[in-house]
Amino acid sequence: MTTSRATIRDVAAQAGVSVATVSKVINDRYGVSASTIERVRAAIEQLGYESSLVARSLRNQRTNVIGVLVTDIEPFSAELLKGAAKAIRGTGYELVVYSAGGEAAHAVGWENRYLSRLSGTLIDGAVIVTPTVLAPSYGAPVVAVDPHTGGEDVPTIDSDNRRGAETATEHLLELGHRRIAFIAGRSDLESARLRETGFRAAMAAAGVPVDPALVVAGDYAEALSANAAHALLRLPDPPTAIFAANDISAIATMDMALTLGMQVPDDLSVIGFDNIPESTLTRPMLTTVEQPIQLMGQRAIEMVVAILRGEHPDPRQVRLPTRLVLRDTTAGPR
Amino acid sequence: MTTSRATIRDVAAQAGVSVATVSKVINDRYGVSASTIERVRAAIEQLGYESSLVARSLRNQRTNVIGVLVTDIEPFSAELLKGAAKAIRGTGYELVVYSAGGEAAHAVGWENRYLSRLSGTLIDGAVIVTPTVLAPSYGAPVVAVDPHTGGEDVPTIDSDNRRGAETATEHLLELGHRRIAFIAGRSDLESARLRETGFRAAMAAAGVPVDPALVVAGDYAEALSANAAHALLRLPDPPTAIFAANDISAIATMDMALTLGMQVPDDLSVIGFDNIPESTLTRPMLTTVEQPIQLMGQRAIEMVVAILRGEHPDPRQVRLPTRLVLRDTTAGPR
DNA sequence: CTGTTAGCGCCTTCAG
DNA sequence: CTGAAGGCGCTAACAG
């Protein structure tokens, strides 16, 4: 037990050569005799040696590793990771996902701290998911997914949040709803602002005034959204439909409606945003606006790889389409 | 742009002190005057300095990072990661997920290579998902999820694969099926062997012989499973039900049935294993055996953390229960 | 062909 | 209270 892992020195000692020679063998550099190579390889084999990624990346600039930085691994980022993993195949790069485990993430600027911790060493480039502040990149290429702002300098990937929100709202309107509530997302993210903008635009276009009491904060988070839903449904004149800024919030809303003894969609229509896999786990299944999340992850990786290869991907701001997915949580008001 | 990230030396220069002093401030060591601390903190702030994880981990033994090593990020591992991320919260540890991007993963022993690359440096402990060879751990605690073998030395987490497979088979049997096919999983994994064992045991218990032609390889993979399903359904005397060793295979089977113009469950019953979120995306929705995947990830992290804290978790081999989830892809044979 | 030297960014003695 | 020196594992010059 606990036999510390073999280092390059152990290999060198075992093979009776210098550390530098071992390094040469490992990296296929010229200038090592066949017999020495043989001996070194044998030692490596015997000791189960594998060069330390850390030591190596401290010394070299390139590591062949791309990082994906997330605050947490939840349904959205997990989908994104699937896409990222798909895109990484065949590129020769490896993927490292770094998650602070929620806590540190609350501090504004987590993305820059992470980036600073990993960049220059360990990763050649990074994808940052839902960053709130985007600092000058430290040399390594960075692509932001669903960033705090419509991006100016940094390449970004997002989806058409505004149009998606309009579509959702129009759907509710067409069903005959007029008292439509909106549970807003994280106010520090552009996506949340655009979803609210889309909601308001669709309402305005239909000539339906937005009751300020029906627009509440949900923060893309379960607990806060549940509270928000509770408050909305307890209003003297409650909404007949709720548009939640993401699926997590929509699911929390459905749970709360159930808790309050209401039937979805008979007593209340609910519509979400994202189309995470979990949205089909609810009963009834959630009607929602789909973002191509996996594709967003895929595109982000592709863009980082392209930049790493010295290319200059042209639209640096990629906006993917959204799409209404009709399921069973919306119906006309009674 | 491209201003290389600040190092501890930049901070030292900016604050007019030595590198060592900065290090002391960062790590809260005694022996620095209040005014110096102030100056150093200001410099850190101004430069946006964050110590390099790599340099740090090379120097120290502890990094406060736990690694999760996977061959790829697909539905199963993604679920597991959600659980792992949940478990990491509040522990003070951070999470790094390392994925080889499919390729390197094909080589046997990827887990040991990764572990060797990262262990001792970068990560304090690791969770390895579906390893095929488990070597002596290099000092750092390692927990294996769904390993190649019933684990002897290494702590492991898995679910009751055998019982789950029995349950699935019994369900098919109770519906009246007799020609039941089995699309097997990755033969290098204990889980796949146990699922097949469970299938055979249930068949034997019901006195139904297993037609060798109806047991085919699927490897837990989509392409191979689709082929397998095709072959099965083209048999002169095709099965009336197919039990696939995981949901990916089951979904591939459903797709193939559809391609061949068959109705599920009318012409063919299909049942899977895992209950990944994707299993509710099929139409009809997939009947399957649920493994508590997130919980497996959670438990694995908890165990690593416990060992890191010097505890000796008692059952070192944790087996979680499985459960039949009845949905819409099974019915009696015509 | 092989070994020696220096240094990546950081932290920890140990002197001053 | 502060700074200089050494070394973590590795690689890139340069010497022999």
Side-chain angles (χ1 to χ4, degrees), chain A residues 5 7-8 51-60 117 121-122, chain B residues 51-64 116-124:
Chain A
R5 63 181 283 280
T7 73
I8 197 172
S51 77
S52 159
L53 177 62
V54 166
R56 188 167 213 157
S57 61
L58 186 58
R59 193 65 180 71
N60 299 353
R117 274 176 69 111
T121 50
L122 198 54
Chain B
S51 78
S52 158
L53 179 61
V54 165
R56 187 166 212 156
S57 62
L58 187 56
R59 190 64 180 72
N60 300 353
Q61 46 259 44
R62 290 197 52 121
T63 59
N64 267 353
S116 182
R117 273 174 69 110
L118 304 181
S119 182
T121 51
L122 197 55
I123 59 176
D124 292 346

Side-chain angles (χ1 to χ4, degrees), chain B residues 8 11-12 15-45 49 51 56:
Chain B
I8 198 171
V11 174
V17 295
S18 79
V19 167
T21 303
V22 176
S23 173
K24 282 174 195 157
V25 172
I26 294 167
N27 298 290
D28 290 320
R29 326 286 300 155
Y30 296 102
V32 186
S33 72
S35 69
T36 304
I37 291 180
E38 202 42 57
R39 219 151 12 106
V40 171
R41 286 206 200 290
I44 289 175
E45 183 71 21
Y49 168 79
S51 78
R56 187 166 212 156

Side-chain angles (χ1 to χ4, degrees), chain A residues 97-101 103-105 113-114 117-118, chain B residues 50 53 63-68 88 91-97 122-123 125 301:
Chain A
V97 183
Y98 195 74
S99 167
E103 354 238 295
R113 294 205 319 284
Y114 280 28
R117 274 176 69 111
L118 303 183
Chain B
E50 192 78 16
L53 179 61
T63 59
N64 267 353
V65 173
I66 294 178
V68 180
I88 210 83
T91 60
Y93 285 94
E94 295 179 337
L95 201 63
V96 158
V97 183
L122 197 55
I123 59 176
I301 292 290

Side-chain angles (χ1 to χ4, degrees), chain A residues 75-334:
Chain A
F76 179 83
S77 58
E79 280 309 291
L80 199 102
L81 292 179
K82 291 179 194 171
K86 203 176 299 175
I88 210 84
R89 282 179 216 149
T91 61
Y93 284 93
E94 294 178 337
L95 201 63
V96 159
V97 183
Y98 195 74
S99 167
E103 354 238 295
H106 287 308
V108 168
W110 62 272
E111 52 281 328
N112 289 326
R113 294 205 319 284
Y114 280 28
L115 205 50
S116 181
R117 274 176 69 111
L118 303 183
S119 181
T121 50
L122 198 54
I123 58 176
D124 292 346
V127 172
I128 311 189
V129 183
T130 61
T132 56
V133 184
L134 236 34
S137 91
Y138 297 115
V142 169
V143 171
V145 175
D146 195 3
H148 69 302
T149 166
E152 49 283 4
D153 200 29
V154 178
T156 58
I157 311 273
D158 66 3
S159 70
D160 194 345
N161 289 292
R162 187 189 150 127
R163 186 73 204 105
E166 280 174 9
T167 311
T169 311
E170 286 161 5
H171 169 61
L172 259 15
L173 254 7
E174 277 161 20
L175 286 171
H177 292 279
R178 288 301 173 266
R179 281 194 67 70
I180 303 177
F182 182 71
I183 298 182
R186 272 176 50 185
S187 57
D188 54 347
L189 294 181
E190 176 83 345
S191 63
R193 287 193 294 271
L194 287 173
R195 288 173 201 179
E196 182 165 342
T197 303
F199 165 70
R200 290 182 185 280
M203 292 289 273
V208 179
V210 173
D211 181 345
L214 295 190
V215 177
V216 294
D219 219 31
Y220 286 162
E222 186 180 340
L224 191 55
S225 298
N227 286 344
H230 186 266
L232 285 171
L233 298 174
R234 279 302 188 219
L235 245 30
D237 187 9
T240 61
I242 296 183
F243 174 21
N246 75 347
D247 287 349
I248 299 279
S249 296
I251 293 169
T253 298
M254 286 180 67
D255 285 346
M256 182 53 71
L258 189 68
T259 303
L260 296 178
M262 303 176 73
Q263 299 285 334
V264 173
D266 296 342
D267 304 322
L268 177 75
S269 285
V270 177
I271 189 167
F273 205 113
D274 278 353
N275 196 27
I276 54 175
E278 281 75 358
S279 64
T280 60
L281 291 178
T282 59
R283 288 294 103 78
M285 293 194 290
L286 185 67
T287 291
T288 189
V289 177
E290 175 181 289
Q291 290 195 83
I293 311 180
Q294 289 197 25
L295 191 56
M296 290 164 75
Q298 218 172 312
R299 285 269 193 287
I301 292 290
E302 286 166 3
M303 205 180 277
V304 171
V305 170
I307 298 172
L308 245 15
R309 289 192 175 136
E311 299 164 22
H312 295 274
D314 189 2
R316 286 163 56 84
Q317 323 296 333
V318 175
R319 173 153 295 172
L320 270 16
T322 50
R323 178 175 75 87
L324 182 62
V325 178
L326 291 174
R327 288 200 278 251
D328 310 320
T329 55
T330 52
R334 297 219 209 195

Side-chain angles (χ1 to χ4, degrees), chain B residues 231-256:
Chain B
L232 286 172
L233 297 174
R234 280 301 187 220
L235 245 29
D237 186 9
T240 60
I242 297 182
F243 173 22
N246 74 346
D247 286 349
I248 299 280
S249 297
I251 293 170
T253 299
M254 286 179 68
D255 286 347
M256 182 52 71

Side-chain angles (χ1 to χ4, degrees), chain B residues 2 32 65-66 84 88 100 110 115 124 154 163 179 182 206 222 224 237 273 277 296 302 317 330:
Chain B
T2 309
V32 186
V65 173
I66 294 178
I88 210 83
W110 63 272
L115 203 51
D124 292 346
V154 178
R163 186 73 202 104
R179 279 194 71 70
F182 181 72
E222 186 179 340
L224 191 54
D237 186 9
F273 205 112
M296 290 165 76
E302 286 167 2
Q317 324 295 334
T330 51

